[in-house]
Amino acid sequence: MPTIVPPYLLDRIAEAGEPRFPLAAEAARRALLREPPAHLGPLIVPDVPDQPSALPDAPSQPDRRISDAEGREVLPGRLVRREGERDTGDEAVDDAYDGLGDTHRLFDRVFGRDSIDGAGMPLEATVHFGRAYDNAFWDGERMVFGDGDGEVFRGFTDSLSVIGHELAHGVTEHTARLRYQGQSGALNEHVSDAFGALVEQYALGQDATAATWLIGEGIFTDEVQGRALRSMLEPGTAYDDDVLGRDPQPAHMRDFIETTDDNGGVHVNSGIPNRAFALAARQIDGFAWESVGRIWYDTLTSGNLDQDATFEQFADETVRQAELRFGADSTEHRAVREGWQEVGVLSA
């Protein structure tokens, strides 16, 4: 199941959390017991026209529906806010509503995609899931947010990149449908991180240089020595804490982690393509959604990716799409190719 907090981090908290974080240790154990959802239905890829870029406040027409699980692990929960209704005063409800709108706006106005499926699919979310639930996930139909344990994690609606990340899993399911295992699974996680970062940058009007490139910034409490769950620009540096340990993400293929855990290391090895994306964006500069964002979206919707695509196959396709959209030896074409070379996926 695509979750924002990787199981290796929950394992660490569950095993080493006491006595410093006793509530978090118990919450991590409960989160690890969650079962993945059933296999999703058949893939339908709609035709998506090219659209010009837009300012971050450009209008869009999402159909948002926010439900409250009221501390139970039952979905969808009680519907508490629909499209066009006023703020409820519940921070998690209103943050989820706003975050879904920000994500829809990016895909609609920049990429010409009408919601997750490209055909106006309602954007549904459930908040206050479970008791001190330490995660957020996409279950194939909706986003689900826990409130965190209060010791290690805050509420998961506090980070816009988390919201964008989870909704991007839905976009991948309806386009490239990268299998959630091994390198293709790490690419699945990478794509969600990339678009999660772009959602945040688009909403804030940040260019590639001003952006933090952090995923999950703000979900750790002040008791944790860490900035975020992951750093796209500097994998392996997001946190370094006595209980949580050190961020294990590699930044180069020479450090690729071979493991059977976490579906073959999907959350950890995603650091390698994450860095390639961030490096390319910063080399091009300007608004990343106008350059690498378009190239990665073109790659997802090209129909040229195998469900079990490797890092190298995915990289080759992004280089090809960069040439198709921006021209051979363009700044964008060179930056994408050099980003993959810098992390050891493509040879110089």
Side-chain angles (χ1 to χ4, degrees):
M1 176 171 60
T3 60
I4 193 67
V5 179
Y8 60 77
L9 185 53
L10 292 173
D11 280 333
R12 176 82 185 194
I13 297 169
E15 292 174 3
E18 298 180 16
R20 183 177 163 199
F21 298 131
L23 297 179
E26 176 58 28
R29 294 185 194 109
R30 290 198 304 271
L32 286 165
L33 294 176
R34 289 285 307 160
E35 291 294 328
H39 179 69
L40 299 171
L43 170 65
I44 299 174
V45 182
D47 292 330
V48 181
D50 290 339
Q51 294 288 330
S53 60
L55 294 174
D57 60 352
S60 61
Q61 299 296 323
D63 179 7
R64 292 166 283 186
R65 304 169 189 179
I66 314 299
S67 299
D68 185 348
E70 300 175 319
R72 298 179 298 163
E73 294 192 10
V74 178
L75 296 174
R78 179 172 58 89
L79 183 64
V80 291
R81 188 176 180 187
R82 300 193 63 157
E83 187 63 40
E85 294 181 347
R86 292 183 176 182
D87 288 1
T88 64
D90 183 316
E91 185 176 351
V93 171
D94 297 332
D95 284 349
Y97 182 91
D98 292 342
L100 296 184
D102 288 332
T103 305
H104 184 280
R105 188 173 299 112
L106 171 76
F107 281 100
D108 179 53
R109 303 307 301 176
V110 177
F111 309 124
R113 186 176 191 83
D114 186 6
S115 193
I116 291 171
D117 64 349
M121 177 180 177
L123 298 178
E124 303 203 32
T126 295
V127 299
H128 302 311
F129 178 80
R131 180 170 56 89
Y133 183 64
D134 272 348
N135 228 323
F137 61 90
W138 166 256
D139 74 350
E141 295 180 351
R142 66 178 55 248
M143 288 200 57
V144 181
F145 299 97
D147 290 326
D149 54 70
E151 292 182 337
V152 170
F153 293 109
R154 305 180 193 275
F156 286 86
T157 58
D158 287 355
S159 172
L160 181 54
S161 61
V162 168
I163 297 174
H165 171 105
E166 294 303 334
L167 284 180
H169 277 302
V171 174
T172 298
E173 287 172 5
H174 286 275
T175 55
R177 203 170 174 87
L178 295 163
R179 198 179 309 278
Y180 206 65
Q181 180 70 39
Q183 287 195 16
S184 61
L187 287 168
N188 193 314
E189 278 297 318
H190 153 65
V191 166
S192 280
D193 276 355
F195 285 102
L198 292 181
V199 167
E200 187 169 83
Q201 292 169 28
Y202 190 68
L204 297 175
Q206 290 179 332
D207 63 23
T209 300
T212 66
W213 295 103
L214 296 175
I215 303 300
E217 184 178 19
I219 66 169
F220 284 139
T221 70
D222 294 339
E223 298 301 313
V224 174
Q225 300 299 309
R227 300 177 293 162
L229 285 172
R230 292 182 285 280
S231 169
M232 293 188 67
L233 186 61
E234 300 173 311
T237 68
Y239 57 86
D240 189 355
D241 183 86
D242 290 345
V243 172
L244 275 63
R246 185 172 182 175
D247 177 4
Q249 279 204 314
H252 194 278
M253 280 300 292
R254 62 174 169 263
D255 300 314
F256 184 90
I257 297 173
E258 297 284 356
T259 179
T260 57
D261 293 337
D262 189 24
N263 294 88
V266 298
H267 285 93
V268 67
N269 288 316
S270 60
I272 296 169
N274 275 0
R275 179 162 168 78
F277 183 92
L279 287 174
R282 284 170 65 92
Q283 183 174 330
I284 299 166
D285 206 5
F287 296 128
W289 60 82
E290 294 184 329
S291 55
V292 287
R294 290 183 180 278
I295 293 164
W296 258 242
Y297 184 76
D298 290 346
T299 298
L300 281 183
T301 57
S302 68
N304 296 329
L305 288 177
D306 187 83
Q307 291 183 6
D308 294 305
T310 65
F311 284 2
E312 184 175 2
Q313 290 167 342
F314 187 90
D316 284 339
E317 186 60 23
T318 62
V319 172
R320 192 177 83 87
Q321 292 298 329
E323 179 178 352
L324 287 173
R325 178 173 282 275
F326 294 102
D329 208 34
S330 61
T331 298
E332 293 81 3
H333 185 224
R334 291 195 306 273
V336 170
R337 184 178 63 246
E338 290 170 11
W340 289 113
Q341 291 171 347
E342 181 68 22
V343 300
V345 172
L346 296 181
S347 59

